[in-house]
Amino acid sequence: MTQEKSPRELELQRLQEDLEFLEGYIKEFSEFLPLPICTANPLNIILGINQSFRDFTGYNEIEIGGREINELFLEKKEAMALVKEISQKDARVVKEMTLLTKDKKKIPVSVCGLSRRDEDGNFIGYFLALSDISESKRFQEELEDRVKEKTKELEKRTKDLQTSRTALMNILEDVDEARRRAEEEKNKTLSVITNFTDGLLIFDEKNNLSSINPQAEVFFEVKAQNLIGKQVSELITFPAFKSLIELVGLKIQEIFRKEMRLKENLILEVTTLPIIRKKEKIGKLAILHDVTREKMVERMKTEFVSLAAHQLRTPLSAIKWTLRMLLDGDLGEITDEQKDFIEKTYSSNERMISLINDLLNVTRIEEGRYLYKTVLADIETIIELAINFYKEEIEKRKLKVEFKKPKERLPQIMVDIEKIKLAFQNIFDNAVRYNRAGGRVTVSLNYDKKRIEVMVKDTGVGIPKEQQERVFSKFFRAANVMRMETEGTGLGLFIAKNVIEAHGGKIWFESEENKGSTFYFTLPVQ
Amino acid sequence: MAKKILIVEDEEILIDLLQRKLTNEGYEILVARDGDEGLKIMQEINPDLVLLDIVMPKMGGFEVMEEMAKDSELKKIPIIVISNSGQPVEIDRAQELGAKDWLIKAEFDPQEVLDKVAKQIGK
């Protein structure tokens, strides 16, 4: 006989079955959860754990079940405070603590607790869920370490910076001092440049005008601000600069005391120099020196001498002609004594005329209009004629004169015949005049395709060594010849040198006192 | 008939000396003290030769030569310049204007003037 169950019994059985199912479900669910969870009663005794909890802590149910919750944590007091808070609250309580595992590892964890209550709201225990925060903790610590490190570094850097700053300040002070000194120097230099009586133009290494002083502004009648920074090639468009740039060229070549007429009444002497710093050319300086006054004085002097010489010539000519006519008997008979006196007067007059001629030659040299007409001529013939001119004088002094000509015929050369004759005569005249009685004069010609060399050698008094460097100066007469003959202008060799150099030749000499002198000059063959 | 020489010169002593020297040689001498006067005499008495100074009052020697060169009659008269100066540039210009010779006073004797004159027009 089948024992019939009452509906009540059936209901109970069904509820029990439901409950068992639910328990199984929860168990399975909690086993499956990846979060370590445990449950505890109000006395903090651990009741149950899930699989994750076992994996995480290393404890199984037997080992941990029945033990007090705070055994799980390093911070016992905090653990007690946490569970107390959980019991009092209905909400989740979270706290960071350190988990002690079975094998004594300490793992930072975030503990999340939630109280369990019965239907009447009585506290019946709680859940604790643990989550491993060691990663984030480590990360945070690392972060903190790095922050610390950075901070330290920053501090160090700050310190370094402070040190550097102090050093920098010191340097700056030094630099300041140096700059102040440089500034002072610059101001000094500037005021020198500004107040300089010569005009100054300074160009940089690219030939841009970098500075122009007030004097130069006056010379060129320009304003500095319109010109600074301009290239030489731009400056040429200013009419005032035309003649300067024509003189120095676009590259500003170096010149020394070249004359330039800027205006009718303004003549400048221009010198350009490189500005060199540490062996490097960093620019160019043009110095403009006003020589208008000097030139004027020079011209007046030249004009005066020229005028005086011309004016002197007329009475000297009259005297010459009168004496000549007297001597020739054109003005009646004269006695021998009278004739003797007149002859001496005549020769004095001749010397005066030749002095005037010399002075005129010198003024023409200085006026720069000396060589007049160059023609192809035979130097041999010129010299022969000049020597012939001295025939009487040579016989009177009993000199032996030898003219050594080369065997081959010399080429004709371009010369101003009168001037070359004069130059040779001035040299030859000294060889005759300052020779000893019965002495020797040798004239020789040499030729080497490029030039003809003329040599005049004498056995005369020679030139004192200490006076030799002045031989070609204007009005120079050596001390020993002044004792011999009071006449002589001291212009002969000055004129000779100018004539030879105007022809593109050279003149020089060798001399020994009391033995003789040898003069040489060359003339180029074209 | 004696050859007529006109001396155009402002220096009295030189006139005297030249006049004396040339008269002794049988020439007939006319004298002008400046270029202006010289030209007038030339036009009146067509001389055989002119001795001409360069630097003179009123009209200088170069101007005289320029005037002479313009005149078909006067330009036939030979000129010998007698000057204080002897710069090549001046000598060349005188030659261009028809001067036959150039004498620098300080470098010539009266005898040489005589020789030059004789060379141009004979004795």
Side-chain angles (χ1 to χ4, degrees):
Chain A
M1 155 163 173
T2 316
Q3 196 177 1
E4 290 270 324
K5 280 187 182 165
S6 64
R8 216 179 117 85
E9 274 173 339
L10 280 172
E11 177 69 15
L12 192 64
Q13 192 184 346
R14 201 173 47 83
L15 278 174
Q16 261 174 344
E17 278 169 12
D18 276 358
L19 195 63
E20 269 165 27
F21 175 76
L22 209 61
E23 270 179 356
Y25 174 81
I26 286 169
K27 199 170 164 66
E28 265 174 48
F29 181 73
S30 76
E31 284 297 296
F32 159 78
L33 267 183
L35 187 71
I37 297 169
C38 70
T39 51
N41 65 10
L43 296 171
N44 301 322
I45 301 300
I46 295 169
L47 298 176
I49 57 175
N50 69 348
Q51 186 56 44
S52 288
F53 193 94
R54 284 192 288 275
D55 295 344
F56 189 42
T57 62
Y59 295 111
N60 57 30
E61 277 97 338
I62 300 160
E63 285 162 339
I64 197 72
R67 302 213 355 218
E68 258 195 77
I69 198 91
N70 57 11
E71 282 181 40
L72 280 173
F73 300 101
L74 182 66
E75 305 87 353
K76 311 291 181 202
K77 275 188 188 163
E78 270 127 60
M80 294 318 291
L82 172 69
V83 293
K84 194 178 172 192
E85 200 186 333
I86 293 168
S87 66
Q88 287 164 356
K89 272 192 176 170
D90 273 344
R92 289 187 316 151
V93 178
V94 180
K95 197 170 175 78
E96 273 178 29
M97 298 184 47
T98 310
L99 175 78
L100 290 170
T101 64
K102 187 183 164 187
D103 45 9
K104 310 294 180 208
K105 271 201 290 192
K106 292 169 186 162
I107 301 171
V109 286
S110 168
V111 183
C112 177
L114 182 66
S115 58
R116 293 171 65 201
R117 300 193 189 266
D118 60 13
E119 287 154 12
D120 301 325
N122 296 316
F123 177 65
I124 57 164
Y126 49 92
F127 299 106
L128 275 187
L130 307 175
S131 52
D132 187 352
I133 56 163
S134 56
E135 276 299 315
S136 65
K137 196 84 183 168
R138 197 162 57 241
F139 179 72
Q140 194 185 335
E141 270 166 16
E142 260 174 32
L143 203 68
E144 272 168 21
D145 282 354
R146 268 166 64 188
V147 168
K148 256 185 227 162
E149 212 175 284
K150 285 279 167 206
T151 313
K152 243 187 220 165
E153 221 172 87
L154 269 176
E155 273 169 6
K156 192 171 168 289
R157 292 265 288 273
T158 312
K159 215 172 186 181
D160 283 355
L161 272 175
Q162 266 168 347
T163 320
S164 313
R165 190 170 165 269
T166 318
L168 207 63
M169 290 302 285
N170 288 339
I171 291 168
L172 275 175
E173 269 169 33
D174 290 351
V175 168
D176 220 41
E177 178 61 28
R179 209 193 57 216
R180 216 171 22 243
R181 256 183 279 141
E183 196 82 3
E184 256 169 50
E185 274 308 307
K186 194 181 153 200
N187 285 342
K188 245 188 259 170
T189 312
L190 259 177
S191 74
V192 169
I193 289 173
T194 308
N195 297 308
F196 216 54
T197 51
D198 283 354
L200 298 174
L201 298 170
I202 300 169
F203 294 92
D204 66 14
E205 73 276 18
K206 286 174 184 145
N207 293 336
N208 294 315
L209 182 66
S210 60
S211 186
I212 174 168
N213 78 339
Q215 190 56 55
E217 287 181 286
V218 172
F219 285 159
F220 290 109
E221 293 175 340
V222 292
K223 284 266 159 260
Q225 67 258 33
N226 302 331
L227 301 167
I228 299 297
K230 286 218 167 26
Q231 256 282 325
V232 177
S233 52
E234 292 173 85
L235 289 180
I236 205 163
T237 57
F238 290 78
F241 284 100
K242 211 167 159 252
S243 45
L244 176 68
I245 294 165
E246 273 167 9
L247 190 68
V248 301
L250 287 175
K251 287 181 179 165
I252 314 177
Q253 66 215 36
E254 278 172 48
I255 56 170
F256 183 67
R257 292 190 166 181
K258 286 265 177 74
E259 244 171 62
M260 171 179 91
R261 182 179 284 271
L262 200 58
K263 275 173 276 179
E264 188 48 42
N265 55 354
L266 180 59
I267 301 167
L268 299 177
E269 205 175 66
V270 184
T271 301
T272 54
L273 302 164
I275 305 170
I276 295 166
R277 190 194 289 150
K278 287 174 185 162
K279 289 181 182 167
E280 205 184 326
K281 282 189 191 178
I282 55 161
K284 278 159 195 156
L285 171 68
I287 305 163
L288 312 162
H289 182 60
D290 186 350
V291 290
T292 314
R293 209 185 120 73
E294 283 98 316
K295 285 283 137 192
M296 200 179 71
V297 170
E298 206 177 291
R299 205 182 66 224
M300 279 166 64
K301 188 195 79 184
T302 303
E303 277 172 359
F304 169 76
V305 172
S306 182
L307 190 77
H310 276 119
Q311 293 304 316
L312 278 170
R313 270 181 152 190
T314 304
L316 286 173
S317 300
I319 293 166
K320 178 185 164 104
W321 290 19
T322 309
L323 293 175
R324 191 74 256 168
M325 284 174 77
L326 275 170
L327 286 169
D328 290 351
D330 287 335
L331 305 172
E333 288 292 311
I334 51 168
T335 65
D336 283 352
E337 201 189 1
Q338 284 168 335
K339 194 178 176 186
D340 189 39
F341 272 108
I342 293 168
E343 261 169 4
K344 281 176 184 155
T345 315
Y346 183 81
S347 86
S348 290
N349 194 54
E350 283 293 281
R351 274 204 301 274
M352 185 80 98
I353 289 169
S354 90
L355 166 64
I356 301 290
N357 286 342
D358 279 354
L359 281 174
L360 278 170
N361 275 320
V362 170
T363 52
R364 274 178 218 140
I365 286 170
E366 288 175 345
E367 281 167 1
R369 52 183 174 101
Y370 195 49
L371 285 194
Y372 176 62
K373 210 161 49 178
T374 57
V375 290
L376 271 180
D378 231 341
I379 189 82
E380 233 176 280
T381 318
I382 297 172
I383 289 174
E384 224 151 24
L385 281 172
I387 294 174
N388 267 342
F389 186 78
Y390 283 88
K391 218 173 162 187
E392 280 177 32
E393 197 69 32
I394 290 165
E395 278 167 18
K396 205 171 95 187
R397 292 172 189 255
K398 299 185 173 66
L399 298 172
K400 289 180 211 73
V401 175
E402 194 185 356
F403 184 19
K404 290 184 190 164
K405 291 177 264 185
K407 282 174 198 134
E408 59 188 306
R409 184 146 188 85
L410 293 176
Q412 291 197 314
I413 52 173
M414 290 296 287
V415 290
D416 181 328
I417 297 174
E418 285 306 311
K419 299 287 159 39
I420 286 293
K421 196 168 143 197
L422 181 66
F424 177 79
Q425 271 180 357
N426 286 349
I427 296 167
F428 191 74
D429 189 272
N430 286 341
V432 169
R433 197 179 297 275
Y434 304 118
N435 218 316
R436 58 183 164 81
R440 179 182 289 275
V441 180
T442 312
V443 178
S444 75
L445 285 177
N446 287 298
Y447 164 54
D448 75 353
K449 298 233 190 284
K450 279 187 182 165
R451 61 207 180 132
I452 291 172
E453 185 188 283
V454 180
M455 184 196 86
V456 180
K457 187 182 170 76
D458 68 50
T459 53
V461 293
I463 304 156
K465 194 146 193 81
E466 67 277 7
Q467 294 190 312
Q468 287 189 1
E469 60 183 43
R470 289 173 49 215
V471 163
F472 295 111
S473 318
K474 207 167 28 173
F475 301 116
F476 169 76
R477 295 195 72 216
N480 54 351
V481 306
M482 293 218 325
R483 284 192 299 270
M484 278 174 79
E485 275 203 50
T486 44
E487 276 93 20
T489 57
L491 293 170
L493 291 176
F494 171 79
I495 292 168
K497 184 178 197 283
N498 277 280
V499 169
I500 300 302
E501 287 177 354
H503 280 85
K506 280 186 184 143
I507 184 167
W508 70 98
F509 68 95
E510 291 153 4
S511 184
E512 199 177 326
E513 210 174 352
N514 298 321
K515 285 201 172 169
S517 305
T518 309
F519 277 80
Y520 303 86
F521 67 85
T522 60
L523 291 168
V525 175
Q526 285 84 5
Chain B
M1 204 179 114
K3 298 263 170 75
K4 288 187 215 102
I5 297 173
L6 171 63
I7 300 173
V8 189
E9 165 70 65
D10 62 327
E11 196 69 27
E12 216 49 60
I13 174 123
L14 294 183
I15 297 170
D16 282 357
L17 289 166
L18 282 171
Q19 196 168 12
R20 182 151 198 152
K21 192 88 188 170
L22 292 165
T23 312
N24 283 352
E25 292 298 317
Y27 295 108
E28 191 186 329
I29 304 301
L30 304 156
V31 175
R33 261 86 183 171
D34 62 63
D36 210 27
E37 196 187 342
L39 276 174
K40 274 179 196 151
I41 295 173
M42 273 179 237
Q43 275 150 354
E44 270 173 44
I45 313 162
N46 206 19
D48 296 294
L49 183 127
V50 176
L51 282 175
L52 182 65
D53 191 13
I54 293 295
V55 184
M56 287 180 295
K58 287 190 188 167
M59 188 189 280
F62 282 114
E63 282 166 279
V64 172
M65 283 187 275
E66 279 165 15
E67 290 302 317
M68 286 171 75
K70 282 182 212 163
D71 190 299
S72 58
E73 284 302 312
L74 296 186
K75 74 177 176 190
K76 293 176 190 161
I77 306 171
I79 306 163
I80 294 175
V81 174
I82 39 168
S83 171
N84 257 324
S85 170
Q87 297 205 37
V89 64
E90 294 172 321
I91 297 174
D92 278 5
R93 188 166 165 225
Q95 268 169 358
E96 275 168 33
L97 288 167
K100 299 288 180 193
D101 220 325
W102 182 289
L103 298 177
I104 299 168
K105 289 173 188 168
E107 291 174 10
F108 281 85
D109 284 333
Q111 182 57 46
E112 289 169 272
V113 179
L114 205 64
D115 294 345
K116 298 267 182 194
V117 169
K119 196 182 153 198
Q120 291 300 326
I121 56 170
K123 294 200 174 180

